[in-house]
Amino acid sequence: MRSAVVIGAGLAGLTAALRLARAGVGVTLATKGPGGLQLSQGTVDVLGYSPDRVTKPLEALGSLPAEHPYASVGADVVGSATSWLAEQLGPDLLVGDPESNFHLPTAVGALRPTALAQPSMVAGDAVGGRSYAVVGVRQLKDFPADLVAGNLARSTAPDGGALKAHSAWISLRARDGEADPSPVTYARAMDDEAFAEKFAREVAAVAGEADVVALPAVLGLRRRDAWRQVADVLGREVCEIPLPPPSVPGLRLYEALLALVRSAGVRFIQGSRITGFTVEGDRVVAATLAAAGGPRHLAADAFVFAPGGFESGALDVDSHGTITEPVFGLPLTATDANALIPPQYWGPHPLFEVGVRVDGAGRPVHPEHGVVHPNLYAAGGLIAGAERWREESGDGVAVATAVRAADHITGGAR
């Protein structure tokens, strides 16, 4: 049986591992930590800005520069890869269409474009004339209902229509005696139907009249129908608004994707760092895991490197501003950070476009010598050419490049 080692447990690593395992490949996934999905919005962004707000993300991919990761993947693969992921996770966790963006409220009342979202969120999609009752919880400090409602009321929907919004508050402790509860505390309480019922009735008493009741994203962690229970009590639609980390929707997505990976037979190793590799000829034959008791060598036929970028420490910057990739020593598009940090905070940040260049199969390439290792593939934030946070393209890049790598390994690439 063919074998592969996937390095990294973010969206790219988990997607690659699942795709490979579904194709019959024996997969080992190694990661130093749980990845970044718990910090995410719990949605899948394909393209939100280019540079203006995007409503049709797949159509807009053609306007991106040739150096962008999407350019070598293509809109067809981006669309089919993100749709495949949504099918794997099921409609109780992700709904939508990569061809069209929702525009959903954020925790400050701005509108954020995203292609795939959790079903508890999509009633908040901004449509002209829609009204929102934004209900906060006094004990939950990270959801400023007044600010959210005020900014929504000043916003214009993508169709040009105005929005209406007002705020209201309830006081309800998730656990007695806890002075500073997190969203996760409330989400775990919502897994209990009796607490969710009490919460919904408190909200119903203050929400007033509106088309949609907007609530902090705490409507259950493992019980995915908690939002439906709340909506049934209210007698109208609700929308969850993701909060700053720890992100309940992000946790839902991570736990669901990890469960799929494990049920597909992937061997999952967490808590140890990949520190090096072994090469025979030009092929990688093993990755070195810094395990307790001494290094372990994870041998495989192919390797998918999906460690993230600067945010995860996969790209290192030393005190002199020198940028390196410390595991495989891969060539980067730039090695001096000092020249890439502009004085304008909100301006373009070319530093975050630094990464590895890849060929059409997703294999890192040297600018002069071609493919670095014929069986080493890159996926996700390590790939150069996208300022992912500004474009809101990181999720789509992660999924599409992970699927591309997996399909080239299995021979299923189009």
Side-chain angles (χ1 to χ4, degrees), residues 338-392:
N338 296 298
L340 301 176
I341 302 174
Q344 301 87 5
Y345 181 83
W346 293 111
H349 285 260
L351 175 65
F352 296 116
E353 295 186 14
V354 173
V356 301
R357 292 277 183 226
V358 295
D359 67 0
R363 298 174 298 183
V365 295
H366 191 282
E368 297 177 359
H369 307 298
V371 171
V372 179
H373 301 290
N375 64 332
L376 174 64
Y377 299 79
L382 185 70
I383 298 176
E387 197 172 353
R388 297 177 301 279
W389 67 271
R390 175 182 292 278
E391 302 167 350
E392 292 189 5

Side-chain angles (χ1 to χ4, degrees), residues 230-295:
V230 174
D232 287 345
V233 172
L234 293 172
R236 53 187 146 161
E237 293 184 301
V238 302
C239 73
E240 285 190 296
I241 297 180
L243 306 182
S247 165
V248 171
L251 280 166
R252 290 180 197 139
L253 194 59
Y254 172 73
E255 291 186 358
L257 194 48
L258 181 59
L260 286 175
V261 163
R262 283 177 161 155
S263 68
V266 173
R267 179 189 179 201
F268 185 75
I269 304 173
Q270 180 175 310
S272 297
R273 186 186 297 268
I274 297 293
T275 58
F277 61 105
T278 303
V279 172
E280 290 183 1
D282 59 354
R283 297 178 66 85
V284 178
V285 295
T288 304
L289 186 73

Side-chain angles (χ1 to χ4, degrees), residues 166-227:
H166 71 270
S167 61
W169 293 88
I170 65 169
S171 180
L172 180 64
R173 293 188 180 277
R175 291 193 297 203
D176 290 339
E178 186 165 5
D180 190 17
S182 75
V184 176
T185 302
Y186 274 91
R188 287 174 175 155
M190 289 283 187
D191 286 338
D192 176 67
E193 290 186 18
F195 183 87
E197 179 84 10
K198 183 177 181 180
F199 177 90
R201 296 202 178 281
E202 293 281 345
V203 171
V206 302
E209 299 295 327
D211 300 322
V212 178
V213 178
L215 299 166
V218 297
L219 302 186
L221 186 58
R222 292 183 170 85
R223 190 168 71 92
R224 295 183 191 163
D225 62 348
W227 69 274

Side-chain angles (χ1 to χ4, degrees), residues 1-411:
M1 184 175 70
R2 292 166 296 177
S3 61
V5 168
V6 176
I7 301 167
L11 184 57
L14 291 169
T15 299
L18 182 62
R19 185 81 168 190
L20 287 163
R22 290 277 193 258
V25 177
V27 181
T28 296
L29 191 154
T31 178
K32 67 178 180 180
L37 276 173
Q38 300 91 327
L39 307 178
S40 76
Q41 302 280 321
T43 60
V44 176
D45 304 338
V46 172
L47 185 66
Y49 295 91
S50 180
D52 296 325
R53 192 163 63 189
V54 169
T55 57
K56 302 291 184 183
L58 293 186
E59 287 183 12
L61 297 190
S63 67
L64 297 173
E67 296 79 17
H68 197 282
Y70 280 148
S72 65
V73 177
D76 288 346
V77 172
V78 175
S80 63
T82 50
S83 295
W84 175 83
L85 181 66
E87 291 167 3
Q88 296 298 305
L89 288 164
D92 64 335
L93 195 61
L94 280 182
V95 295
D97 185 339
E99 293 191 3
S100 180
N101 277 334
F102 298 110
H103 293 83
L104 304 178
T106 72
V108 295
L111 296 177
R112 184 178 66 88
T114 190
L116 303 176
Q118 298 188 19
S120 57
M121 301 175 181
V122 297
D125 190 28
V127 177
R130 179 163 287 174
S131 60
Y132 302 81
V134 184
V135 181
V137 182
R138 293 292 183 191
Q139 291 79 10
L140 192 59
K141 65 181 181 182
D142 289 329
F143 188 71
D146 300 333
L147 176 66
V148 174
N151 283 336
L152 278 176
R154 297 181 183 94
S155 299
T156 301
D159 61 10
L163 303 175
K164 301 175 183 178
H166 71 270
S167 61
W169 293 88
I170 65 169
S171 180
L172 180 64
R173 293 188 180 277
R175 291 193 297 203
D176 290 339
E178 186 165 5
D180 190 17
S182 75
V184 176
T185 302
Y186 274 91
R188 287 174 175 155
M190 289 283 187
D191 286 338
D192 176 67
E193 290 186 18
F195 183 87
E197 179 84 10
K198 183 177 181 180
F199 177 90
R201 296 202 178 281
E202 293 281 345
V203 171
V206 302
E209 299 295 327
D211 300 322
V212 178
V213 178
L215 299 166
V218 297
L219 302 186
L221 186 58
R222 292 183 170 85
R223 190 168 71 92
R224 295 183 191 163
D225 62 348
W227 69 274
R228 290 191 176 92
Q229 180 187 357
V230 174
D232 287 345
V233 172
L234 293 172
R236 53 187 146 161
E237 293 184 301
V238 302
C239 73
E240 285 190 296
I241 297 180
L243 306 182
S247 165
V248 171
L251 280 166
R252 290 180 197 139
L253 194 59
Y254 172 73
E255 291 186 358
L257 194 48
L258 181 59
L260 286 175
V261 163
R262 283 177 161 155
S263 68
V266 173
R267 179 189 179 201
F268 185 75
I269 304 173
Q270 180 175 310
S272 297
R273 186 186 297 268
I274 297 293
T275 58
F277 61 105
T278 303
V279 172
E280 290 183 1
D282 59 354
R283 297 178 66 85
V284 178
V285 295
T288 304
L289 186 73
R296 295 169 58 189
H297 301 287
L298 305 178
D301 301 316
F303 297 80
V304 179
F305 193 33
F310 289 104
E311 69 283 354
S312 64
L315 296 177
D316 183 55
V317 182
D318 67 16
S319 59
H320 300 286
T322 301
I323 311 169
T324 57
E325 186 282 295
V327 175
F328 290 96
L330 296 173
L332 302 175
T333 53
T335 56
D336 182 7
N338 296 298
L340 301 176
I341 302 174
Q344 301 87 5
Y345 181 83
W346 293 111
H349 285 260
L351 175 65
F352 296 116
E353 295 186 14
V354 173
V356 301
R357 292 277 183 226
V358 295
D359 67 0
R363 298 174 298 183
V365 295
H366 191 282
E368 297 177 359
H369 307 298
V371 171
V372 179
H373 301 290
N375 64 332
L376 174 64
Y377 299 79
L382 185 70
I383 298 176
E387 197 172 353
R388 297 177 301 279
W389 67 271
R390 175 182 292 278
E391 302 167 350
E392 292 189 5
S393 64
D395 301 330
V397 168
V399 173
T401 57
V403 166
R404 173 180 63 182
D407 287 356
H408 277 277
I409 290 170
T410 62

